[in-house]
Amino acid sequence: MGRSRSGRIRTAEQDPADPGTAPTPAAGRTPATGRTHAQGPLLHPVASGTAELRPDRDRPRAWHLLLDGAPQSLVDLADPTHLGFTYQRRLGHLIDLAAPAGKPVTVLHLGGGALTLARYTATTRPRSRQQVAEIDTRLTELVRTELPLERSWQIRVRGADARAVLERAPEGAADLVIADVFSGARVPGHCATREFAELAARALAPTGRFAANITDGAGLPFARAQVATLRAVFPEVCLVADPAVLRGKRFGNLILAASHQPLPLDELGRRVATDPSHGRIEHGRSLADFTAGAVPATDATAVPSPAPPDGVFH
């Protein structure tokens, strides 16, 4: 299998803080210590390239993780509930809606990066059990050293390929499987097939949900194929993206959610509407029309997502 790691594509400015919609950190929480802005940026070689930790100009304990110059994650050590990237906020909405507020959940994260979503889950849902697949062990070591996790969080990081971890996941145990798997700036083909989706469905509890962050550009051929792929496995599927991305006018992120049970579309729509960046949800007939005759990807036919255009990070 090809090397896979967590990747994040940011094609617009970072969202401003939105305290009115962000969950409140757990009462009495003591922020983890870690790198301070006074120490300045850090460049460090990792297996997947050169990692850079860059201080956030607006948040005194927040750090951007970049890999070979591409924005990957934003972590605020003082407030792990802050999700600065639009795609992370949308995945955060799905975490919020996975169970009643504050209830612990079991989550399998495929792709780790700076562990932003695992931190968010641990803070908003104390005592949650989380496993993260991140093949780049040198990146994980850097993150643990400079942006440490809190000792009370039940987060286990495994240095292995995302699909290999999914293949060994216990059957029916996860409330959420979140795929944010990138090799470089592309979703690897072996983590974007019907067989991969079937493995995710196997790992989920009966009421569990699968969510994925993907990227695409003009014509959206990869996104259309991914919708067709999930619809071949799950009866309920929706897509969330900026209108400009859905029209193929701009390269960017699209969030897919799938389940064997009805998705919380009304509440998800209300939460997406509060985001600083406008988003649209496609579901049902409109989502079927979106596929435009695309066929499910399989292990025999899969290709990675398209490379981002030159200059997309600038």
Side-chain angles (χ1 to χ4, degrees), residues 89-97 268 271-272 274-275:
R89 289 177 65 90
R90 290 171 181 163
L91 290 172
H93 296 327
L94 292 169
I95 294 169
D96 293 342
L97 296 173
L268 179 60
R271 289 169 183 257
V272 169
T274 69
D275 290 341

Side-chain angles (χ1 to χ4, degrees), residues 159-230:
D161 178 87
R163 179 152 170 179
V165 172
L166 183 59
E167 288 171 348
R168 297 192 295 271
E171 183 173 354
D175 298 300
L176 277 172
V177 173
I178 300 176
D180 189 11
V181 188
F182 284 74
S183 179
R186 307 175 74 178
V187 180
H190 74 287
C191 291
T193 67
R194 178 170 181 160
E195 292 86 346
F196 180 85
E198 288 171 345
L199 288 170
R202 176 184 173 276
L204 289 170
T207 58
R209 295 169 188 155
F210 173 72
N213 173 40
I214 64 171
T215 56
D216 207 353
L220 299 173
F222 184 79
R224 297 181 196 281
Q226 286 305 291
V227 170
T229 299
L230 291 184

Side-chain angles (χ1 to χ4, degrees), residues 14-25 58-59 74 76 79 81-86 89-90 93 96 120 270-278:
Q14 176 189 329
D15 292 339
D18 186 4
T21 59
T24 302
D58 300 319
R59 304 179 73 89
L74 173 64
D76 189 337
D79 180 10
T81 69
H82 175 70
L83 301 176
F85 293 173
T86 297
R89 289 177 65 90
R90 290 171 181 163
H93 296 327
D96 293 342
Y120 178 88
R270 284 190 285 269
R271 289 169 183 257
V272 169
T274 69
D275 290 341
S277 178
H278 182 55

Side-chain angles (χ1 to χ4, degrees), residues 223-309:
R224 297 181 196 281
Q226 286 305 291
V227 170
T229 299
L230 291 184
R231 283 170 56 88
V233 176
F234 294 95
E236 294 290 330
V237 180
C238 77
L239 178 154
V240 187
D242 292 353
V245 174
L246 284 172
R247 292 193 299 269
K249 301 293 185 181
R250 177 169 65 78
F251 187 92
N253 298 76
L254 304 96
I255 299 300
L256 297 169
S259 178
H260 286 289
Q261 302 295 326
L263 294 165
L265 296 172
D266 290 343
E267 182 58 28
L268 179 60
R270 284 190 285 269
R271 289 169 183 257
V272 169
T274 69
D275 290 341
S277 178
H278 182 55
R280 196 169 84 203
I281 297 177
E282 299 290 350
H283 176 262
R285 172 49 55 189
S286 67
L287 188 62
D289 293 342
F290 172 83
T291 62
V295 299
T298 68
D299 283 350
T301 64
V303 296
S305 65

